[in-house]
Amino acid sequence: FQACVYFASVFQAMSCGIHYLASVFMAVTPNFVCGFPGNVSSILFHNSSASSIQDMWTLWTSTDNYVIVQLENGEIWELNQCSRSKREVSLDLAYEYKGNKSVFPCSDGFLYDDTKWKSTVVTQWDLVCDREWLAKLIQPTFMLGVLIGAVIFGDIADRLGRQRVIWFTSAGQFVFGIAVAFTFDYYSFVIVRFLLAMVSSGYLVVAFVYVTEFVGIKARTWASMHVHAFFAMGIMIVALVGFLVRTWWVYQIFLSIATIPFILCCWMLPETPFWLLSEEKYEDAQKVINTMARWNKVNTPCKVSELYSVQQDDLVSGRTGENDTSSTKKHNILDLFCNWQIARRTITVWLIWFTGSLGYYVFSLSSVSLGGNEYLNLFLIGAVELPCYIIACVAMDKLGRRNTLIPFLILSALICVLIMFIPQDFNILIILANMAGKFSIGVAFGLIYLYTAELYPTIVRSLAVGSGSMMCRVGSVVAPFCVYLRSVWIFMPLLLVGIMALLSGILTTMLPETLGKPLTNTLMEATEMGRNKKSCSGKTPPAHSGAALEKIEMFGQETISTET
């Protein structure tokens, strides 16, 4: 039963990977020049002449190039990317000209190279020259929607249940995904994409919690890590569909219908017993447990009434041992900075979250600009994630969380430096190095989820992972702007990622190892884990004991608030 629920849920995670990276081909800017005011009789580019502008694109090598056209009325025009010049003296058609010229804006539109892409959103709405900044906002605004969607739908899932949010966000991905293809202008396109980002992010966050609440504790680490693997498969689908479909709105439709099978069956997914129990819907929880037992051929399913009675007894005994004021104390973000030891840990963890997200999207978004076949590049950047999560699961159980995180962060920094020294005509070597960089940052990025949960006590664990996840979203918003810095210096994005990864790796050496250690319940215990005896101010609620605690730890130690 759990296997069916798991694979059905993570199948839709591919749709999240699809929409997150769809813009790499949908919003590409091809070669272009200003349009000309009339009918053309001849065209000249350097020493080559042709009757059609499309014949010139194979010779185009730089944005500084320009095309000479002669109109039927005898006028000769120089067509640049963002301006055009009319020669005052039109004696003969020559590429070099030293006479007077009159400069005009591109009032007749632009001519685009359609040899690779028949249509993109850039060519659809002329997002070039003084409107280029609009094209560069497409991915950042999407990532802003990802940030907001994670917060909104995470909170809604805690209030209304995981099942309803999964239904809504799944249907929303399909509806908004199709709607994007039929937007009538740039602003409606950005707004619908923003809504698509919100539901995609909402699904990914809630699905992560949904599967961890269903999967048994022995398989939970592997299951939660490989939600990211299905996201990576979505990136591979983007590369495949981009190769086959070169018109942006058709491309968007094909990407959106890739997960129709899940839309048709998602209504069959049940609510998680843990949420039902938290809402005191014991009869509904018992029905789900009975269904699980029937599927798994278990003759004696768990009785909710027995579990509830044990938990109530332990809660009562816990309250009698402490003052009621201690159990009602509410915790906030400031508790993550209650002393130097915890504050340093929080800053380091936030930096790792930010760096992991920044590096992940910089390597992914930059893959289409590495040279060679951009479709193959993106496919390989997605494919390299599949083994990286297997390596991460094995390494963090054998070597430890910190001892896995440190070398892979430093390795990603070294790879960023190495890429800077590879000659630009060594395309294969550059692509392999970028794959290695994505692999190493992917291991760190996947590992930090579990490591953060283990570094903090129960009373602030949700806050810790939630705040770290927020830093992750900030990194994803910054990543597109970081990629745009290639126009300043081609290695600037790699330099920034390398510096952040190196700094994160060094600071990680000061974090405690959590492998094989029990989860902490109080801030004092968490501080002592870091070999600092200074405790945090204020009392902490007593840890529950007995059979109920064992069951809660077994089923819920990684099942944190979906606000993360």
Side-chain angles (χ1 to χ4, degrees):
F1 182 89
Q2 287 93 327
C4 291
V5 168
Y6 175 78
F7 285 107
S9 302
V10 297
F11 179 79
Q12 182 68 3
M14 289 192 297
S15 182
C16 301
I18 286 171
H19 294 304
Y20 276 43
L21 272 297
S23 66
V24 295
F25 296 130
M26 184 165 52
V28 70
T29 302
N31 296 323
F32 66 94
V33 293
C34 266
F36 38 79
N39 296 321
V40 176
S41 60
S42 58
I43 300 174
L44 182 66
F45 183 74
H46 291 296
N47 296 324
S48 302
S49 60
S51 57
S52 172
I53 191 70
Q54 297 301 327
D55 298 332
M56 293 296 171
W57 294 123
T58 55
L59 304 175
W60 192 273
T61 57
S62 171
T63 57
D64 296 329
N65 293 151
Y66 60 91
V67 177
I68 307 299
V69 297
Q70 186 172 30
L71 306 183
E72 291 180 350
N73 60 9
E75 294 179 351
I76 298 178
W77 290 76
E78 293 183 9
L79 306 180
N80 295 288
Q81 284 203 322
C82 296
S83 64
R84 56 186 181 177
S85 304
K86 177 183 176 183
R87 294 180 178 178
E88 299 297 337
V89 180
S90 307
L91 297 178
D92 58 343
L93 186 64
Y95 196 74
E96 301 294 337
Y97 175 75
K98 302 296 184 181
N100 295 327
K101 294 182 288 187
S102 299
V103 180
F104 296 89
C106 300
S107 55
D108 291 292
F110 299 87
L111 302 173
Y112 297 96
D113 178 8
D114 61 0
T115 54
K116 280 189 176 182
W117 299 280
K118 298 300 180 184
S119 173
T120 71
V121 295
V122 172
T123 64
Q124 181 88 15
W125 296 305
D126 289 335
L127 305 180
V128 293
C129 297
D130 58 339
R131 288 168 56 86
E132 181 184 9
W133 65 277
L134 294 173
K136 290 186 175 181
L137 281 179
I138 290 175
Q139 189 65 19
T141 53
F142 183 92
M143 289 302 183
L144 182 61
V146 168
L147 190 155
I148 296 175
V151 176
I152 292 177
F153 287 105
D155 182 63
I156 294 175
D158 279 342
R159 298 173 185 271
L160 302 181
R162 289 79 162 102
Q163 181 191 50
R164 294 178 182 177
V165 173
I166 283 180
W167 289 353
F168 178 81
T169 53
S170 300
Q173 283 188 81
F174 177 75
V175 172
F176 292 132
I178 296 295
V180 166
F182 295 97
T183 48
F184 52 87
D185 63 5
Y186 169 80
Y187 297 101
S188 62
F189 170 82
V190 170
I191 291 172
V192 177
R193 281 258 301 170
F194 183 85
L195 297 175
L196 175 61
M198 289 181 62
V199 295
S200 297
S201 174
Y203 180 86
L204 193 62
V205 169
V206 176
F208 179 84
V209 175
Y210 184 80
V211 298
T212 55
E213 290 183 347
F214 265 112
V215 177
I217 190 170
K218 291 183 179 179
R220 185 166 293 153
T221 299
W222 285 77
S224 60
M225 286 283 283
H226 282 81
V227 173
H228 304 293
F230 283 86
F231 184 94
M233 292 174 64
I235 298 177
M236 297 163 66
I237 292 174
V238 170
L240 179 62
V241 175
F243 175 75
L244 297 175
V245 183
R246 306 299 177 90
T247 302
W248 79 267
W249 61 272
V250 180
Y251 160 85
Q252 176 65 29
I253 290 175
F254 272 90
L255 291 179
S256 299
I257 65 177
T259 53
I260 277 186
F262 181 80
I263 304 298
L264 300 177
C265 69
C266 69
W267 60 271
M268 300 173 62
L269 293 176
E271 184 56 80
T272 67
F274 295 99
W275 184 83
L276 293 172
L277 288 173
S278 69
E279 296 295 312
E280 299 183 356
K281 298 181 179 181
Y282 304 115
E283 292 183 3
D284 293 335
Q286 188 65 62
K287 290 178 182 178
V288 175
I289 292 173
N290 291 340
T291 302
M292 296 170 65
R294 192 163 54 251
W295 275 57
N296 295 336
K297 297 180 180 180
V298 176
N299 296 326
T300 55
C302 173
K303 298 295 183 182
V304 171
S305 57
E306 297 176 0
L307 174 61
Y308 179 70
S309 63
V310 172
Q311 183 176 350
Q312 286 293 98
D313 292 341
D314 284 342
L315 287 173
V316 171
S317 63
R319 289 193 185 100
T320 58
E322 287 286 342
N323 200 329
D324 286 343
T325 57
S326 65
S327 62
T328 59
K329 181 182 184 299
K330 293 184 178 180
H331 296 271
N332 54 50
I333 197 72
L334 296 179
D335 288 305
L336 301 181
F337 298 89
C338 64
N339 63 36
W340 169 242
Q341 183 75 9
I342 297 296
R344 186 176 62 184
R345 184 178 306 177
T346 299
I347 293 172
T348 301
V349 167
W350 282 4
L351 185 63
I352 298 171
W353 278 91
F354 177 86
T355 302
S357 179
L358 180 69
Y360 182 93
Y361 287 106
V362 164
F363 280 115
S364 297
L365 295 172
S366 300
S367 62
V368 296
S369 305
L370 298 178
N373 189 312
E374 57 266 34
Y375 306 103
L376 180 60
N377 294 350
L378 184 63
F379 184 88
L380 294 176
I381 284 294
V384 77
E385 286 189 57
L386 302 182
C388 98
Y389 296 126
I390 298 176
I391 297 296
C393 288
V394 174
M396 68 182 185
D397 285 339
K398 299 294 183 181
L399 303 178
R401 281 69 160 132
R402 184 187 62 180
N403 295 336
T404 300
L405 193 57
I406 293 172
F408 278 103
L409 282 172
I410 295 178
L411 178 62
S412 62
L414 294 177
I415 291 173
C416 289
V417 175
L418 176 63
I419 294 174
M420 299 180 192
F421 292 94
I422 301 177
Q424 289 301 294
D425 52 347
F426 284 59
N427 286 338
I428 295 179
L429 193 57
I430 291 175
I431 293 169
L432 291 176
N434 275 269
M435 289 177 62
K438 176 69 177 296
F439 180 92
S440 57
I441 205 72
V443 171
F445 194 28
L447 172 59
I448 191 58
Y449 282 83
L450 178 60
Y451 193 29
T452 302
E454 294 177 340
L455 283 172
Y456 291 88
T458 303
I459 56 176
V460 293
R461 186 169 296 127
S462 179
L463 278 171
V465 181
S467 61
S469 180
M470 188 63 67
M471 294 302 299
C472 165
R473 310 301 176 190
V474 173
S476 66
V477 173
V478 173
F481 294 107
C482 186
V483 173
Y484 297 150
L485 291 176
R486 286 175 60 93
S487 60
V488 177
W489 184 42
I490 191 172
F491 296 124
M492 183 64 75
L494 290 173
L495 178 64
L496 295 177
V497 173
I499 292 173
M500 297 297 292
L502 181 61
L503 179 60
S504 300
I506 294 173
L507 291 178
T508 304
T509 59
M510 294 184 287
L511 295 178
E513 180 56 69
T514 60
L515 177 63
K517 295 182 179 180
L519 293 177
T520 57
N521 291 316
T522 67
L523 287 165
M524 181 182 296
E525 293 175 3
T527 304
E528 290 174 350
M529 184 171 61
R531 294 191 178 90
N532 188 332
K533 300 302 181 182
K534 189 197 310 182
S535 63
C536 300
S537 61
K539 295 182 180 179
T540 55
H544 298 161
S545 59
L549 176 58
E550 294 178 5
K551 292 181 180 293
I552 292 170
E553 277 199 355
M554 179 177 296
F555 294 110
Q557 66 177 358
E558 293 170 21
T559 307
I560 55 177
S561 169
T562 52
E563 290 182 40
T564 62

